[in-house]
Amino acid sequence: MTVLDRDEIRKLTLDPEQDEFAGSVDAVFDALQDSPHTRMEHAFAIVADTRTVGFLVLRERLALPDWAPRGAVTLHSFRIHRACQGMGYGRAGVELAISWVRARRRTASQLMLAVNARNMPAKALYLKLGFTDTGRIVHGPIGDQHILTFRLKRA
């Protein structure tokens, strides 16, 4: 995706409590557009048939947040359209992100994310998919965030 795809992602509505955690689409796209590290931030649409059902951003190297160690890739702004939730698209989106990192960032040691402490459904999904809680908590713009990691095993 590019910053020109903003209108397509705006159609991915969330329940109000989820929207708070995912952040506004405009804020996400403004940050991507204004980033000095555009080659290290990767926006992805999750598409089923021809319909966009979700969105996520992966960051690496200089675009990593302060809480992520060198060699990690981080997942941000993950959202699945509310009409498509409960259909496996969240799981598929995370699994595709893991596959992309394994295939295209062979030196990456882990995929990491920060999940708001109040967003228990999201945290439960990530743990079910094989992420582990690092025990680290950072303060984010809307409260405490748990840092989770998925170790990328190499053959």
Side-chain angles (χ1 to χ4, degrees):
M1 299 200 74
T2 70
V3 294
L4 302 175
D5 297 309
R6 180 188 306 235
D7 288 339
E8 182 68 19
I9 300 308
R10 268 196 200 116
K11 297 175 189 173
L12 301 175
T13 58
L14 302 173
D15 290 332
E17 64 276 5
Q18 293 174 322
D19 205 34
E20 175 187 23
F21 300 129
S24 85
V25 169
D26 285 329
V28 170
F29 275 84
D30 287 347
L32 288 169
Q33 188 171 349
D34 297 340
S35 173
H37 310 295
T38 56
R39 298 179 71 79
M40 296 172 220
E41 295 178 301
H42 315 283
F44 295 92
I46 301 164
V47 179
D49 296 321
T50 59
R51 182 177 176 206
T52 300
V53 299
F55 173 77
L56 62 90
V57 174
L58 295 177
R59 294 186 179 147
E60 61 181 327
R61 298 177 292 175
L62 295 174
L64 288 171
D66 292 340
W67 47 261
R70 251 175 70 181
V73 174
T74 55
L75 186 148
H76 305 266
S77 306
F78 187 50
R79 62 177 64 233
I80 299 293
H81 183 52
R82 73 174 160 202
C84 299
Q85 292 180 12
M87 299 175 164
Y89 296 123
R91 170 185 288 278
V94 172
E95 289 172 349
L96 287 169
I98 291 167
S99 294
W100 185 90
V101 174
R102 281 185 172 143
R104 302 236 164 101
R105 299 302 183 258
R106 302 209 36 89
T107 60
S109 59
Q110 58 192 316
L111 177 64
M112 300 181 77
L113 58 88
V115 62
N116 190 282
R118 293 179 290 121
N119 194 353
M120 296 310 294
K123 185 176 180 183
L125 171 67
Y126 296 129
L127 294 174
K128 187 176 180 179
L129 293 175
F131 282 79
T132 56
D133 193 330
T134 65
R136 282 189 64 206
I137 296 175
V138 297
H139 188 70
I142 59 167
D144 288 342
Q145 307 226 13
H146 295 259
I147 304 300
L148 306 183
T149 186
F150 183 92
R151 300 282 176 188
L152 299 164
K153 296 180 182 97
R154 300 293 176 192

